[in-house]
Amino acid sequence: MTRARVLAGLLALLLALAGCAARGGEAPPADAGPAAPGPAEPAAPGSAPEPESPAEPDYADPAVCQEIFFAPYGNLIYAEGWERYEDLGPDSLFQFTVQQNYHIYMSKIDYAERYGPEWARVDPPVDGEGFAAYPAEEVEATALAYFGAPADYLRTAYSYDAQKNVYQMRGGGLGEEWWPRVLSAEREGDLLRISYEVWTEGYAVRDGEGNASEASGQKVYSAVMTVELLDGGGFQYRSVQVLPEEAA
């Protein structure tokens, strides 16, 4: 082999090696698509804060129980002892839903003045005859939520109009208003037992000359209300036990 042939062979080998190196560093063709991502690294424990659950009300505070379970529902829940929602009757349950949803049931007081502007009365729907007509679905959903009373039971109410599928106010007012005063509450698992007193409301008395003096309310009885606390923060009324005077 001549020296010229050896040099030509070496030169060809060097050129071939240089071409391979250049192709190894080239960018991928345009139609090759994006490179596949590598495996994601697991997030470090505690790096993403979990959403906080809403704080549970302080049921040991009488004022909290007063606000959540009593005000401003008038006489309809606590004015007599009962063990099942059937003891209250479908019309009383309907009246509760009106008080709860519209803050009105022929009451003598202004809820907004007593409890704040969020308790301002809401005008109910009116039917073609000019009477307040509360949609059946709304009434029944509220009674089910707070008492577990089904729709077929609510529809036995005197207040229910099957043709219009609404509930209407038919009857007189509440008479003398009584008001609860929560004393304490004890929790037993999911049950909350609330001790309270029922009082008549104070009122002004005028003498023959028109001078007014304040008359204090009077205690009517003592009672214990049982409420079931539900998962998710809701609750249902379960019973009211009126205590005998010697136990009050």
Side-chain angles (χ1 to χ4, degrees):
M1 181 180 295
T2 64
R3 184 177 179 183
R5 290 182 179 180
V6 173
L7 291 176
L10 289 175
L11 180 60
L13 178 62
L14 290 175
L15 290 174
L17 291 175
C20 290
R23 284 193 297 272
E26 290 176 354
D31 57 354
E41 295 184 2
S47 59
E50 298 182 357
E52 295 183 1
S53 301
E56 185 177 75
D58 182 9
Y59 294 120
D61 185 344
V64 171
C65 291
Q66 182 94 27
E67 179 179 358
I68 295 176
F69 304 113
F70 290 88
Y73 302 140
N75 302 352
L76 304 176
I77 298 307
Y78 54 81
E80 56 183 321
W82 56 277
E83 295 182 358
R84 306 175 306 161
Y85 63 76
E86 292 92 339
D87 297 334
L88 290 169
D91 285 284
S92 288
L93 294 177
F94 159 57
Q95 294 161 13
F96 169 87
T97 69
V98 173
Q99 198 81 310
Q100 205 278 337
N101 295 328
Y102 294 87
H103 310 153
I104 184 173
Y105 176 58
M106 301 181 185
S107 179
K108 301 173 184 176
I109 69 168
D110 182 350
Y111 289 130
E113 180 178 349
R114 176 175 291 232
Y115 299 105
E118 65 273 19
W119 287 105
R121 299 184 185 198
V122 179
D123 291 333
V126 178
D127 64 12
E129 300 175 1
F131 295 102
Y134 302 88
E137 293 79 5
E138 177 185 272
V139 170
E140 292 157 4
T142 303
L144 181 65
Y146 285 93
F147 295 92
D152 57 354
Y153 177 73
L154 264 291
R155 294 189 180 193
T156 64
Y158 172 70
S159 309
Y160 179 63
D161 186 327
Q163 292 183 341
K164 299 178 181 177
N165 197 30
V166 298
Y167 291 79
Q168 293 179 316
M169 286 298 177
R170 305 173 183 178
L174 294 173
E176 183 179 21
E177 295 200 34
W178 295 348
W179 298 96
R181 297 181 182 178
V182 175
L183 303 177
S184 63
E186 295 183 1
R187 183 166 181 174
E188 301 175 9
D190 293 334
L191 298 181
L192 189 66
R193 306 191 191 281
I194 306 169
S195 299
Y196 63 99
E197 297 175 342
V198 175
W199 288 68
T200 61
E201 191 172 20
Y203 55 93
V205 178
R206 296 184 180 276
D207 59 21
E209 298 179 356
N211 299 315
S213 60
E214 187 72 18
S216 61
Q218 296 181 342
K219 178 182 171 182
V220 182
Y221 59 81
S222 300
V224 176
M225 173 183 285
T226 299
V227 173
E228 182 180 357
L229 304 174
L230 306 177
D231 293 338
F235 68 89
Q236 286 189 345
Y237 295 102
R238 288 296 179 223
S239 66
V240 167
Q241 177 188 6
V242 175
L243 302 178
E245 277 305 311
E246 58 269 20

